[in-house]
Amino acid sequence: MSGWDDLELLLDSPSSLTVTSSARGTVKDKANFKVEEDVSALRKAIEGIGTTEKTLIEVLTQRSNAQRQLIAKAYEKATGRTLVADLEGDTHGDFEDLLVALVTPPAVYDCHEVIRAIKGAGTTEKTGRSMIHDLQSEVSGDYGKALLILAEGKRDESTNVDVAKAKADAKALYEAGEKKWGTDEGKFIDILCHRSIPQLRQTLVEYKNISKKTLQESIESEMSGNLEKLLVAVVKCVKTTPAYLAERLFKSMKGAGTTESTLTRILVSRSEVDLLDIRAEYKKLFGCSLYSQLESEVSGYYGDALKHLSGQDD
């Protein structure tokens, strides 16, 4: 079973915590998009003598995922081969993983990533139901329960805020943690994994009014291990998802060696959602642009592709 660092990806996908306007993405539909021209360019890049990586980067990072799906269908119709298979045959390593991620439908990509975290690299199980089944068989206890709720998408999606309910939830959390001898982890899981994001934001405010600590501080003092890390991550995302993901990107580059899988996953999955906001938070938190950090920490065609997805700060 892979550890927390891999399964934290449940919080990276756009559907797991909050729905954000696509207007805050760095990648948008290409104007005057001509699928035949893109297919022709990709075929020339792949079928020619030596793969032209620059063309692969320019085409695949500068089209929306919806446009990439049209390209993939037209490519298969024209060649009798799938674009994914040709990319896997002609590119390697992290660059290959990134290009394959770009041409995979987002929901399928999310499922593949979770399954890979559970079962290890190279897994090709069917997605969807098997992901939930695999989680059930691989994780247990309160941590497993929380992961399953997040994976099954059981969070309330309402945008309405009930202040009375937020006060009641804050009181329930206080009594389940700080005020109690021992901690009722189930109450924390139930509230933090089921309530809507706007509702939880109000609950954080109400909790601070009741307790001398923030909810994050309470979780850190009352819990330990993977469950603590997961619930702290949820609280950070409730406060601001872009700042949480900026922190994840920073750690993936500044830890002991670069964690390429995290870089790929966040930049691909958030490129059409809120990468502009993540970039802004990155600069605010760490004093340099995400683009410049990628430039200094990641090299080769892989680094070039990531920089294309990120875009330079204004």
Side-chain angles (χ1 to χ4, degrees):
M1 174 65 203
S2 296
W4 158 254
D5 286 340
D6 286 331
L7 284 173
E8 196 173 14
L9 64 89
L10 278 172
L11 301 181
D12 293 348
S13 65
S15 59
S16 62
L17 276 167
T18 184
V19 178
T20 315
S21 169
S22 60
R24 301 304 299 158
T26 54
V27 175
K28 304 184 186 333
D29 282 335
K30 183 182 187 297
N32 304 314
F33 169 62
K34 292 183 176 64
V35 68
E36 298 83 4
E37 288 182 8
D38 285 345
V39 169
S40 176
L42 289 174
R43 288 189 67 179
K44 198 175 292 183
I46 291 170
E47 295 170 357
I49 300 172
T51 302
T52 311
E53 288 85 355
K54 186 180 177 185
T55 301
L56 299 181
I57 292 169
E58 286 178 353
V59 172
L60 296 178
T61 65
Q62 303 304 302
R63 310 291 184 272
S64 67
N65 193 278
Q67 290 175 332
R68 290 182 215 122
Q69 298 314 308
L70 295 174
I71 291 169
K73 283 180 186 173
Y75 186 93
E76 186 170 3
K77 188 176 179 182
T79 65
R81 306 182 306 268
T82 67
L83 181 54
V84 166
D86 277 3
L87 289 172
E88 289 175 337
D90 277 62
T91 58
H92 306 283
D94 298 315
F95 183 52
E96 174 196 328
D97 292 341
L98 175 58
L99 296 183
V100 170
L102 286 170
V103 299
T104 302
V108 175
Y109 176 62
D110 288 346
C111 285
H112 281 158
E113 286 295 289
V114 174
I115 290 169
R116 185 164 67 168
I118 298 166
K119 296 292 189 181
T123 302
T124 55
E125 286 93 339
K126 290 178 182 176
T127 55
R129 284 187 184 176
S130 77
M131 182 185 81
I132 304 301
H133 178 268
D134 286 342
L135 270 174
Q136 287 172 331
S137 65
E138 296 286 343
V139 293
S140 58
D142 291 319
Y143 174 58
K145 179 183 174 185
L147 279 176
L148 282 166
I149 293 169
L150 291 173
E152 290 171 337
K154 291 185 174 179
R155 186 178 298 286
D156 177 12
E157 295 183 8
S158 168
T159 56
N160 297 326
V161 174
D162 183 333
V163 176
K165 186 176 181 181
K167 287 180 179 176
D169 280 349
K171 186 182 177 190
L173 290 169
Y174 180 68
E175 291 176 348
E178 282 186 69
K179 202 175 176 185
K180 184 181 172 67
W181 179 259
T183 305
D184 179 2
E185 287 88 354
K187 180 59 69 177
F188 280 80
I189 293 167
D190 180 45
I191 292 173
L192 289 174
C193 296
H194 283 109
R195 301 290 187 267
S196 72
I197 301 304
Q199 184 67 30
L200 283 174
R201 286 201 183 109
Q202 186 63 36
T203 302
L204 295 185
V205 173
E206 301 299 340
Y207 189 90
K208 188 75 184 289
N209 290 338
I210 295 171
S211 170
K212 292 178 182 177
K213 297 178 179 178
T214 65
L215 184 56
Q216 180 179 332
E217 289 168 339
S218 291
I219 292 169
E220 288 170 339
S221 64
E222 298 289 329
M223 298 183 199
S224 61
N226 285 338
L227 180 63
E228 177 202 336
K229 291 176 183 175
L230 180 63
L231 295 183
V232 165
V234 170
V235 169
K236 285 181 177 180
C237 281
V238 166
K239 288 192 286 189
T240 162
T241 302
Y244 166 74
L245 293 175
E247 183 184 326
R248 294 265 287 135
L249 288 170
F250 180 80
K251 287 179 179 176
S252 74
M253 288 186 275
K254 284 298 185 182
T258 302
T259 311
E260 286 84 358
S261 60
T262 301
L263 279 178
T264 297
R265 188 170 55 247
I266 294 176
L267 289 176
V268 170
S269 67
R270 310 307 294 202
S271 61
E272 294 183 53
V273 181
D274 56 357
L275 193 47
L276 288 173
D277 295 327
I278 294 169
R279 273 184 1 191
E281 290 293 340
Y282 196 97
K283 186 175 276 187
K284 190 194 306 180
L285 290 168
F286 306 113
C288 63
S289 70
L290 175 58
Y291 187 93
S292 66
Q293 200 75 61
L294 289 169
E295 204 160 37
S296 64
E297 299 291 335
V298 195
S299 60
Y301 295 121
Y302 176 63
D304 289 344
L306 289 179
K307 285 184 287 184
H308 271 72
L309 283 176
S310 166
Q312 287 185 282
D313 287 14
D314 296 329

